[in-house]
Amino acid sequence: MDTHRFALLGFGNVGQAFARLLMAKSDELLTQLDLNWQVVGIMTGHHGVAINPTGINLESALAMIAAGDSLDPLSAEPAPQNGTDFIRACNADVLFENTPVSYHDGQPAIEHISTALSAGMHAITANKGPVVHAYRELTKLAQAHKRKFFFESAVMDGAPVFSLWRETLPAAELQSFRGVLNSTTNLILTLMEQGKTFEDAVAYTQSIGIAETDPSGDIEGWDAAIKVAALVTVLMGTNLQPSDVERKGVESLRSKDIQSASADGKRWKLICEAERTDTGIATSVRPELLDPTDPLYNVMGTSSAVTFYSDALGPLTVTESDPGPHTTAYGLLADFINSVR
Amino acid sequence: MDTHRFALLGFGNVGQAFARLLMAKSDELLTQLDLNWQVVGIMTGHHGVAINPTGINLESALAMIAAGDSLDPLSAEPAPQNGTDFIRACNADVLFENTPVSYHDGQPAIEHISTALSAGMHAITANKGPVVHAYRELTKLAQAHKRKFFFESAVMDGAPVFSLWRETLPAAELQSFRGVLNSTTNLILTLMEQGKTFEDAVAYTQSIGIAETDPSGDIEGWDAAIKVAALVTVLMGTNLQPSDVERKGVESLRSKDIQSASADGKRWKLICEAERTDTGIATSVRPELLDPTDPLYNVMGTSSAVTFYSDALGPLTVTESDPGPHTTAYGLLADFINSVR
C-alpha cells in the first residue's frame, strides 16, 4: 500500500481542523479504505514553514501553532518561503490549498493549484476563487496529468453539492437552482428577527469569527454571488463571473422590515437564483420575502440550503446545518478519498 | 465501445418509464458518457415475454403495452416463461429487476438478482425487499463476480440516498437519521389538513395510484418501517428487519386531531427515526406533532425528506418533491451509469 504524501498550504482554522480530522480518521482510513497518509509539508501565513519527507507530526504542529510558535523547527531542510517553491519542494501527492484567496482574480490559489497539478499532484481546495476564475483551465490541466482538481467545500462547506452532481446525479441536466448560500447574512437576518439591530447583528457575526472585519463582502451579496458563479460555472456548463450576477445585498433591510415581515408570518432571506433561459443563464442574489410554505423559509442561523431543479428528478433540496471549520475540513477529506479511490 | 445489453424483468409503470427515459437520454449517454445500450429482453407480468439478441425496439414495446397487446411477437426466439430462466436466456450485461416483490421474504426478486449476479450481470432494482432481506449476501455475491448490486430507487425514488453515502460521504459515520419517508401517508395527512376526512384522503391516494387497493401497508407504517430497515441495513452496518422497528401508523389520527394541531400552528407527520445506542440501533415509525421550526414541518404532499446526523457534518437534510415513476426510473439509470463507469 502506498502512502499518500500531503502538502498543506495554509494552516489557519480550516487547515488545523483538517489536521485534527486526519488524525481522528487515520485508523478508519487505513482499515476501511486502505488509505495511508503523511503530511510532508505545511506552509503557514505567519508561523513559518516545515518540510519533512519522512512526515511531520501533526500533534506537534498544532500545539506549536496554539502556542504562537513557528513551525520552522519541524522542518528537516531549509524550506522555501513562497507558495509555488514550497509546492515543488514538498514532493507530495496531494496539495491542500487553503490560503486566503483574492476573489477578484483567484490568486495566488490558481497559481498554486496549477503548479501542483503540473507537478503530478491532486489539488484540493475550499477556495471559491480558483473555481470561479479558472475552473475549466484547471480541470483540463488536471485531466492532462491524470489528476483531480476538487473543491467540494467551496460552496456549503463539506455538504455534497459538487460531488452530488458529479457522482450521484449522472446524465441529469441542471435547469435552475434557488438557495440560501451565505451563512453570515442568514445569521444576521435570524438575529434581527430575534430583536437585534442590523449593526448589533453584524457585530455579533464578527465576534464569532464568521464575518470579516470588513463585512461588506457578505452584506452586499458578493459572497453569495461568487457561490452562484461557482455553481453555474461547474454545474451548468457556462463560465460566469460574480459581477455577472444581478446582486442586491441585505444592507437596505432594517429591523422594522424584519419585524413587519414577522408580524405577517413571513421572513426575509437573501435568495440566490440561477435559471437557464433562451439566451443564457439568468442569475440573481437579492432579499426576498418568503411565505412559511417556501422550502427555504425554515433555513435559519448559519444553515444553508439549495433546491436543484433538473430534467431527471423533482425539486431536490440539500440543507446543511451547523457548519464550521470541521465541516469544511471534512469536504477536503472527502475530496481526497474521491481523488484516489 | 461496448454495447451494454439490458434485461428488463418487470415492465409496469416503472419499467415503462425507464424505457422512455432510456430513449430520451440515449444521445446524451453516448456523446457525454460514451455509453451505448440495447434492451435484449423484456418480461412482463401479463403481456408476454420478448428476447432478441439484436435488440428490442422500445417504442414498439411501449405501443404494444399501451394497446394491451402481448410482447411475444417481438421475440426472436421462444422465450422462457419464468424469471430465472428468462434471465439466463437473455445473455445480458445488466438486469433491471422491477417485479412486484414480497416484502415478507423479498422473493422472487432475491432469486432473480442472485441469478443475474451469478451469471456475471450487474443487478439493479427499485425493490426494497431484496435490500432488507438479502443486502449482505447479494453484495458479497456481486463482489465475488466483480459486479454491482445497486438499488438507489428503493428509498426516496431516484433522490440520492444510498449513493450519497457511498460516493459523496466517504469515511463518515451515520449516527442517526430522522425523516418523512412514506409519500402516501404524508399526502393523506396533507389532504386531511385541507379538510378531507381520513377515508376520503385514503380513497384519493388510491385513485391516483400511489396507494394499493389494500392501503394498510402504508397506513399502518409498514412501508415506512421497511425503508427504515433498508437505510439501517445499508448505511448503519447492521441488519434490521421491518418487524424490528417500533411501529405505529396513522390509522388512529382523525380529522379533529389534524385540525386541532393546525389551530395550534402544528402538524402531524409520520416520522421515521433510527439512532445508534449503547446496545444497538433504536428505530421507530410513529406519528409526531411537529412545530413549525421542525425541518420536516414543511414536507407536504408526496414529498419526502430525511435528515442525516453524522460524525462528519452538521445535520444534512435531503428533500425530494414531486416523485413519480419517472424519478424511480432515473434512479435505475443512475445506478446503471455508476455500475459501469
Side-chain angles (χ1 to χ4, degrees):
Chain A
M1 184 188 42
D2 293 339
T3 294
H4 300 271
R5 288 159 302 166
F6 294 169
L8 311 188
L9 180 43
F11 202 60
N13 285 341
V14 168
Q16 292 171 51
F18 182 59
R20 283 190 292 273
L21 181 64
L22 278 176
M23 291 190 292
K25 288 282 182 185
S26 199
D27 287 350
E28 194 178 330
L29 289 173
L30 190 59
T31 55
Q32 292 183 19
L33 295 165
D34 207 26
L35 290 174
N36 205 1
W37 58 272
Q38 62 178 192
V39 172
V40 295
I42 302 177
M43 174 171 261
T44 74
H46 307 285
H47 294 88
V49 188
I51 292 182
N52 189 332
T54 66
I56 294 169
N57 184 303
L58 289 183
E59 255 176 292
S60 306
L62 289 167
M64 290 161 87
I65 294 287
D69 296 337
S70 165
L71 298 190
D72 287 351
L74 292 179
S75 203
E77 52 193 72
Q81 297 300 307
N82 84 63
T84 53
D85 291 342
F86 165 79
I87 293 165
R88 291 198 190 94
C90 279
N91 190 29
D93 302 306
V94 188
L95 170 71
F96 293 91
E97 215 292 346
N98 293 306
T99 63
V101 66
S102 155
Y103 291 127
H104 181 66
D105 63 3
Q107 294 294 6
I110 293 172
E111 199 190 333
H112 293 158
I113 290 166
S114 154
T115 300
L117 293 170
S118 298
M121 304 164 68
H122 299 294
I124 292 169
T125 186
N127 278 331
K128 292 174 283 292
V131 180
V132 168
H133 293 288
Y135 167 66
R136 294 207 150 65
E137 299 85 321
L138 292 173
T139 299
K140 246 183 231 170
L141 186 62
Q143 283 163 351
H145 291 273
K146 295 194 169 37
R147 289 297 176 273
K148 300 293 183 188
F149 165 49
F150 282 167
F151 41 79
E152 186 55 71
S153 291
V155 175
M156 288 177 69
D157 314 277
V161 176
F162 296 110
S163 61
L164 186 84
W165 281 86
R166 192 181 66 228
E167 311 288 346
T168 75
L169 298 171
E173 183 177 287
L174 180 57
Q175 292 164 333
S176 63
F177 65 80
R178 180 168 180 271
V180 170
L181 295 174
N182 179 266
S183 292
T184 304
T185 47
N186 203 51
L187 178 56
I188 289 170
L189 295 175
T190 298
L191 294 168
M192 289 172 74
E193 190 176 317
Q194 292 166 2
K196 274 196 165 48
T197 64
F198 180 77
E199 291 71 20
D200 286 350
V202 171
Y204 178 79
T205 62
Q206 291 172 308
S207 75
I208 61 167
I210 71 164
E212 305 290 328
T213 314
D214 172 6
S216 60
D218 290 315
I219 289 168
E220 295 174 6
W222 277 113
D223 176 76
I226 293 166
K227 286 170 174 163
V228 169
L231 290 175
V232 168
T233 297
V234 178
L235 303 181
M236 298 177 90
T238 301
N239 289 334
L240 189 85
Q241 290 299 304
S243 54
D244 296 335
V245 179
E246 182 193 319
R247 179 184 49 79
K248 190 180 173 196
V250 299
E251 66 274 16
S252 61
L253 289 175
R254 285 296 175 271
S255 290
K256 65 176 169 51
D257 303 311
I258 308 297
Q259 299 305 332
S260 118
S262 199
D264 292 344
K266 298 186 178 183
R267 201 168 263 166
W268 286 98
K269 293 279 173 200
L270 187 64
I271 300 296
C272 299
E273 281 183 288
E275 184 174 15
R276 285 186 201 280
T277 67
D278 290 344
T279 54
I281 295 174
T283 56
S284 63
V285 170
R286 63 189 162 209
E288 284 183 28
L289 194 57
L290 306 189
D291 283 328
T293 56
D294 194 292
L296 301 174
Y297 178 87
N298 266 340
V299 179
M300 301 300 283
T302 57
S303 297
S304 54
V306 59
T307 302
F308 294 113
Y309 301 82
S310 71
D311 66 341
L313 294 174
L316 181 73
T317 305
V318 177
T319 307
E320 182 203 24
S321 303
D322 303 340
H326 66 292
T327 61
T328 303
Y330 173 72
L332 299 174
L333 179 65
D335 278 346
F336 159 63
I337 296 170
N338 275 324
S339 292
V340 299
R341 74 172 170 182
Chain B
M1 182 191 41
D2 293 339
T3 294
H4 299 272
R5 289 160 302 167
F6 293 170
L8 311 187
L9 179 44
F11 202 58
N13 285 340
V14 168
Q16 292 172 51
F18 182 59
R20 282 189 292 271
L21 181 64
L22 278 176
M23 291 191 290
K25 288 282 184 186
S26 198
D27 287 351
E28 195 178 331
L29 289 172
L30 190 58
T31 55
Q32 293 183 18
L33 295 166
D34 208 26
L35 291 175
N36 205 1
W37 57 272
Q38 61 179 194
V39 172
V40 295
I42 302 177
M43 175 172 261
T44 73
H46 306 287
H47 294 87
V49 189
I51 291 182
N52 190 332
T54 66
I56 295 169
N57 184 302
L58 289 183
E59 255 176 292
S60 304
L62 288 167
M64 290 161 87
I65 295 287
D69 296 337
S70 165
L71 298 189
D72 286 351
L74 292 178
S75 204
E77 52 194 71
Q81 297 300 307
N82 84 64
T84 53
D85 291 342
F86 165 79
I87 293 165
R88 292 197 189 96
C90 278
N91 190 29
D93 303 304
V94 188
L95 170 71
F96 294 91
E97 214 293 345
N98 293 305
T99 62
V101 66
S102 155
Y103 292 125
H104 181 66
D105 63 2
Q107 296 292 8
I110 293 172
E111 197 190 334
H112 294 158
I113 290 168
S114 155
T115 301
L117 292 169
S118 298
M121 304 164 67
H122 299 295
I124 293 168
T125 186
N127 278 331
K128 291 174 284 292
V131 180
V132 168
H133 293 287
Y135 167 66
R136 296 207 147 66
E137 299 84 320
L138 292 173
T139 298
K140 245 183 231 169
L141 186 62
Q143 284 163 351
H145 291 273
K146 294 192 169 39
R147 289 298 178 271
K148 300 293 183 187
F149 165 48
F150 282 167
F151 41 79
E152 186 54 72
S153 291
V155 176
M156 287 178 72
D157 314 276
V161 177
F162 296 109
S163 61
L164 186 85
W165 282 87
R166 192 180 67 229
E167 312 286 348
T168 75
L169 297 171
E173 182 177 288
L174 180 57
Q175 292 164 332
S176 63
F177 65 81
R178 180 169 180 271
V180 169
L181 295 174
N182 179 267
S183 293
T184 303
T185 47
N186 204 49
L187 178 56
I188 289 170
L189 295 174
T190 297
L191 293 169
M192 287 171 76
E193 190 177 320
Q194 292 166 4
K196 276 197 164 45
T197 63
F198 181 76
E199 291 71 20
D200 285 351
V202 171
Y204 178 79
T205 62
Q206 291 172 308
S207 74
I208 62 168
I210 71 165
E212 304 291 327
T213 313
D214 173 6
S216 60
D218 290 315
I219 289 168
E220 295 174 7
W222 278 113
D223 176 76
I226 293 167
K227 286 170 174 162
V228 168
L231 291 175
V232 168
T233 297
V234 178
L235 302 180
M236 299 179 89
T238 301
N239 288 335
L240 189 85
Q241 290 299 304
S243 53
D244 296 334
V245 179
E246 183 193 321
R247 178 184 50 78
K248 189 179 172 196
V250 298
E251 65 274 16
S252 61
L253 290 175
R254 285 297 175 270
S255 290
K256 65 177 169 47
D257 305 309
I258 308 297
Q259 299 304 331
S260 120
S262 198
D264 291 345
K266 299 186 177 184
R267 200 168 262 164
W268 286 97
K269 293 279 174 200
L270 187 64
I271 299 296
C272 298
E273 281 183 289
E275 184 174 15
R276 285 186 201 280
T277 68
D278 291 344
T279 52
I281 295 175
T283 56
S284 63
V285 169
R286 61 189 163 211
E288 284 184 26
L289 194 55
L290 305 190
D291 283 328
T293 56
D294 193 292
L296 301 175
Y297 179 86
N298 266 340
V299 179
M300 301 299 283
T302 56
S303 297
S304 54
V306 60
T307 302
F308 294 113
Y309 301 82
S310 71
D311 66 343
L313 294 175
L316 181 73
T317 305
V318 177
T319 308
E320 180 202 26
S321 302
D322 302 340
H326 65 293
T327 62
T328 304
Y330 173 73
L332 299 174
L333 179 65
D335 278 345
F336 159 63
I337 296 169
N338 275 324
S339 294
V340 299
R341 72 170 172 182

